[in-house]
Amino acid sequence: MNGKVWLIGAGPGDHGLLTLRGKDVLEQAEVVVYDALVGQGILCMMPDNAERISVGKRSGDHTLPQDEINALLLTKAMQGKRVVRLKGGDPFLFGRGGEELELLIEHDIPYEIVPGVTSAFAVPAYNGIPVTHRDICSSVHIITGHRKKGRVLSLDFKALCAMHGTLVFLMGIAALPDICGGLLDAGMDPKTPAAVLERGTTAAQKRVIGTVGSLTSLCTKQKVQTPAIIVVGDVCALSERFAWYEKLPLFGVKAVVTRPKERSSALSSMLRQKGAEVIELPAIDTKPLVGNTRLDDAITSLLKKKYDWLVFTSPAGVKTFFSRLMQTGDCRMLNGVQIAVIGQGTQKELMNYGLKADFIPSVYDGQTLGRELAEKTQAGARMLIPRAAAGNQELVEELRRVENVTIDDIPIYETRYKEMGILDLKTLLESGDMIFTMFTSASTVKGFARIAAGLDMTRVKAVCIGKQTQAEAARFGMNTWTAERATLEALTECLQNAAYELRNKEREAMV
Ligand code: SAH
């Protein structure tokens, strides 16, 4: 049976500008065929098990010719696959989306179109430029500035001027002098405000504001990077007043989040809310150990009141423990047992089962948990610690100080290091100065170092949740910053301070 193709617009870059429909379909994809303009945050949303094919087109440099892309979609669909064709912005706006449908129609392949947020509107919006304004202009025109190799740009500049609307040129940077020249020759006032907006809605967003008369020379001085759009019209003058994106506290910062996929969203959304561009690159995942008789025995002994304390050191531990416990009984089996957790994240997971911890240490690490819990418990206490295989030993060493203590330290899940993901880490780490990697545990550091094997670790700026994580990152030679407390809020604050510190250094170096 034939599969189906979804033509999806990924928006201009910012992960939040992918539509809900686009996200739903992407998460179900078996094959994803994607372009170079798709935001990195969105590339990371592709399912791990999907076949991912880059047909990375950037102006003049077509990795795969259009007819081969068309044929590829057809072949994959005929194999019965759910195929997503992911394109920057809106798939039909200068996106050759129409061409990609022809072959599918000929072969009766079902398809759907998921429109996208176009860069033509979103990039001006992220720069504080409303493309129309009641008092200023009443139309907006989107024009391609692309010219075929060796050809001159053939646009009806007289007609464009006559409309008195906002003009947005896509793919026009190489032709910027021709576009401004053409408009001036057609009689446009050289003082008309105009802008070049580059890499909009990403951490690298930048703009050059000038006039039709000055824009070309301003841009040669500042060396524009693509992708970029050109906007011409009085609305460009509003930019300085309406600009908002770069005022967010983490604007300009790219943060690589390495924690396991199912746990990354709280941190990612906190960082995104503050304006960071987030790339999720899970370095580890966790897998429950199977046939775990020690755990099963421990759960059965709960009924015989074998334990006084149940100690959790991670959300994954809570989840794995309870999913096994529920196969035998339910939370009432814990009647009379006190529960200790290492920190807020673990507490939160525990609350999903309707339980609150009796004890959380003042500092969220294994050693403090052990020490403070040891101070609190009486001689002869019996403890169950269901946690990661090869868990940190400091916790147990501290607890052993309790007289006559019994400790059942039971491995219940293993931490696995992930394979290299979709992004080229080397290019990513070297693509700018404001890229930070967020580490919420020593194992994420180890996993990341494996993925990044062979790369220069001294280029990695590691923002770490606590001192054990920091020590691990430092061991690999990374530059480190450590959060004051082991919470996601403190980690976010730490990133903000690190970015601030680096910017100040850059400024000082420039003076
Ligand atoms: N379908 C896309 C446009 C494809 S043509 C859309 O709807 O946005 C490619 C051009 O889009 C680029 O040359 C550039 O002019 C523009 N573009 C795409 N993403 C952009 C971004 N993040 N910032 C600035 N311009 C962008």
Side-chain angles (χ1 to χ4, degrees):
M1 215 183 74
N2 279 342
K4 185 166 173 175
V5 177
W6 283 261
L7 203 55
I8 302 184
D14 183 349
H15 146 281
L17 297 181
L18 173 69
T19 64
L20 293 176
R21 176 100 189 105
K23 176 173 181 280
D24 280 351
V25 179
L26 182 59
E27 284 172 350
Q28 311 276 323
E30 290 171 305
V31 179
V32 186
V33 178
Y34 63 96
D35 280 351
L37 279 179
V38 175
Q40 290 176 329
I42 291 168
L43 291 181
C44 299
M45 290 165 67
M46 298 183 196
D48 273 352
N49 52 4
E51 184 185 356
R52 300 170 269 189
I53 306 169
S54 159
V55 291
K57 281 193 292 187
R58 284 302 278 273
S59 174
D61 161 34
H62 294 225
T63 312
L64 205 61
Q66 189 62 49
D67 51 353
E68 287 181 35
I69 297 178
N70 305 349
L72 177 67
L73 297 178
L74 178 66
T75 313
K76 294 292 171 188
M78 287 173 92
Q79 289 168 1
K81 299 281 170 56
R82 295 174 61 90
V83 184
V84 161
R85 171 71 176 112
L86 197 57
K87 291 161 140 334
D90 179 85
F92 277 172
L93 187 72
F94 304 138
R96 307 185 75 168
E99 290 165 60
E100 294 180 5
L101 296 183
E102 294 291 348
L103 206 56
L104 302 180
I105 292 171
E106 260 171 50
H107 290 81
D108 256 347
I109 304 285
Y111 61 83
E112 285 184 33
I113 319 284
V114 184
V117 174
T118 176
S119 62
F121 294 161
V123 173
Y126 269 51
N127 279 279
I129 300 175
V131 286
T132 68
H133 188 295
R134 243 165 75 103
D135 304 330
I136 299 174
C137 67
S138 54
S139 69
V140 54
H141 311 272
I142 306 171
I143 307 129
T144 168
H146 182 71
R147 41 174 190 195
K148 292 225 163 96
K149 260 199 183 128
R151 300 257 190 91
V152 289
L153 191 67
S154 80
L155 287 175
D156 186 346
F157 286 108
K158 275 224 154 11
L160 291 177
C161 289
M163 298 204 264
H164 299 287
T166 303
L167 306 178
V168 182
F169 295 89
L170 270 58
M171 297 184 280
I173 294 305
L176 179 65
D178 300 350
I179 290 171
C180 293
L183 292 170
L184 293 173
D185 288 347
M188 186 176 273
D189 181 351
K191 290 203 208 66
T192 308
V196 164
L197 312 175
E198 63 177 78
R199 298 188 281 177
T201 84
T202 73
Q205 171 168 308
K206 236 182 84 184
R207 67 172 165 271
V208 180
I209 301 275
T211 61
V212 179
S214 70
L215 198 60
T216 306
S217 70
L218 284 175
C219 285
T220 17
K221 273 183 220 137
Q222 308 209 13
K223 199 165 177 293
V224 172
Q225 306 224 29
T226 54
I229 63 171
I230 305 162
V231 186
V232 176
D234 291 332
V235 285
C236 292
L238 297 171
S239 172
E240 289 313 313
R241 201 161 143 235
F242 287 173
W244 58 274
Y245 188 45
E246 63 258 34
K247 291 181 186 152
L248 298 176
L250 284 176
F251 168 74
V253 170
K254 237 185 210 187
V256 181
V257 170
T258 57
R259 55 185 349 207
K261 214 168 194 168
E262 69 278 8
R263 303 219 51 82
S264 58
S265 63
L267 175 60
S268 302
S269 76
M270 215 178 270
L271 298 172
R272 283 179 178 132
Q273 268 178 33
K274 294 201 159 206
E277 182 180 347
V278 175
I279 296 167
E280 290 184 351
L281 200 82
I284 54 168
D285 65 11
T286 55
K287 186 172 167 267
L289 297 176
V290 285
N292 196 344
T293 46
R294 283 190 69 198
L295 174 63
D296 291 346
D297 291 348
I299 288 174
T300 328
S301 341
L302 284 168
L303 292 171
K304 296 181 210 137
K305 301 276 174 251
K306 186 177 169 197
Y307 298 106
D308 303 306
W309 280 96
L310 178 56
V311 183
F312 289 114
T313 60
S314 69
V318 174
K319 215 168 158 181
T320 314
F321 177 82
F322 280 99
S323 70
R324 195 69 201 163
L325 178 125
M326 303 290 205
Q327 288 176 14
T328 313
D330 61 31
C331 290
R332 286 171 295 179
M333 291 176 79
L334 295 175
N335 189 14
V337 182
Q338 289 194 281
I339 304 177
V341 295
I342 197 164
Q344 292 298 344
T346 310
Q347 159 88 311
K348 216 165 158 196
E349 187 66 43
L350 188 63
M351 302 239 245
N352 289 340
Y353 301 90
L355 295 166
K356 258 187 180 170
D358 301 285
F359 179 74
I360 305 184
S362 60
V363 177
Y364 302 157
D365 65 33
Q367 191 172 19
T368 316
L369 170 62
R371 195 183 58 241
E372 292 183 356
L373 187 58
E375 283 162 13
K376 202 180 148 70
T377 43
Q378 293 171 351
R382 298 158 307 166
M383 305 201 167
L384 171 61
I385 315 178
R387 59 175 182 156
N392 145 305
Q393 280 313 300
E394 287 167 337
L395 165 67
V396 179
E397 277 161 24
E398 293 288 347
L399 287 174
R400 286 226 176 87
R401 291 166 195 258
V402 178
E403 208 180 313
N404 280 333
V405 70
T406 357
I407 299 171
D408 282 349
D409 180 10
I410 300 181
I412 62 169
Y413 65 91
E414 61 176 333
T415 304
R416 296 183 304 183
Y417 300 113
K418 298 274 287 184
E419 293 303 310
M420 180 68 202
I422 184 84
L423 298 172
D424 175 8
L425 207 53
K426 184 169 172 8
T427 320
L428 183 68
L429 293 178
E430 291 175 358
S431 64
D433 289 331
M434 283 294 161
I435 298 176
F436 293 85
T437 310
M438 315 297 293
F439 293 114
T440 50
S441 67
S443 52
T444 55
V445 177
K446 282 192 207 123
F448 179 84
R450 277 199 187 200
I451 295 174
L455 301 186
D456 179 4
M457 286 295 133
T458 62
R459 295 188 72 124
V460 177
K461 299 186 215 31
V463 179
C464 306
I465 200 154
K467 65 178 197 311
Q468 280 164 9
T469 309
Q470 187 274 341
E472 193 67 41
R475 209 167 61 77
F476 284 103
M478 303 176 188
N479 296 298
T480 62
W481 286 264
T482 313
E484 286 191 3
R485 282 157 294 120
T487 61
L488 297 184
E489 287 79 8
L491 191 67
T492 305
E493 210 174 290
C494 178
L495 171 62
Q496 210 168 315
N497 293 339
Y500 183 75
E501 185 189 313
L502 284 194
R503 285 217 176 94
N504 272 349
K505 267 195 196 145
E506 258 172 29
R507 241 175 253 136
E508 279 164 22
M510 271 170 29
V511 178

